[in-house]
Amino acid sequence: MLTYHTRRRRIVGQGMTEYIIVVALIAVAAIGVCSAFGDLVRGQTSVAAVALSGKDSATGRRFVNQSRDRADGEANRATLENFEK
C-alpha cells in the first residue's frame, strides 16, 4: 500500500512531467514561428530602427519586401504533395 508521501511524490512528478511537455511544445512552436517569420520581423525591426534614427527608411523597407517575397515563394512551393521532397 502506498503511503501519503509516496502518493504525493508521484503526483508532483506527474505535474512536473506535464509542465516539461508543455514547455517543450511551446519551444518547438517558437522555433517554427522564428524560422518562418524571422526575416520579416528582422526587416520590420530595421525599418523601425532606421525611422527612429531620423534617416531614410528605404533600405529597411526594401529588405522587408525582399523577405516577404521570399517567404511567399517558399509558401507557394510547399504543399502536402511535395512535403517529403
Side-chain angles (χ1 to χ4, degrees):
M1 181 161 192
L2 297 174
T3 64
Y4 171 76
H5 295 292
T6 304
R7 279 186 278 153
R8 176 133 174 88
R9 192 175 313 142
R10 285 187 181 182
I11 291 171
V12 170
Q14 179 182 358
M16 182 61 80
T17 302
E18 293 169 354
Y19 176 74
I20 290 171
I21 290 171
V22 169
V23 169
L25 289 174
I26 291 171
V28 168
I31 290 169
V33 168
C34 286
S35 67
F37 299 109
D39 288 340
L40 187 60
V41 171
R42 274 193 297 270
Q44 290 176 342
T45 304
S46 70
V47 168
V50 169
L52 287 173
S53 70
K55 296 180 182 177
D56 180 28
S57 62
T59 303
R61 291 185 193 283
R62 187 168 44 253
F63 183 72
V64 170
N65 291 335
Q66 290 171 350
S67 299
R68 183 197 61 223
D69 293 341
R70 186 171 54 242
D72 287 343
E74 290 176 7
N76 290 335
R77 282 183 272 149
T79 64
L80 290 177
E81 293 174 355
N82 63 7
F83 181 72
E84 295 178 356
K85 296 178 183 175

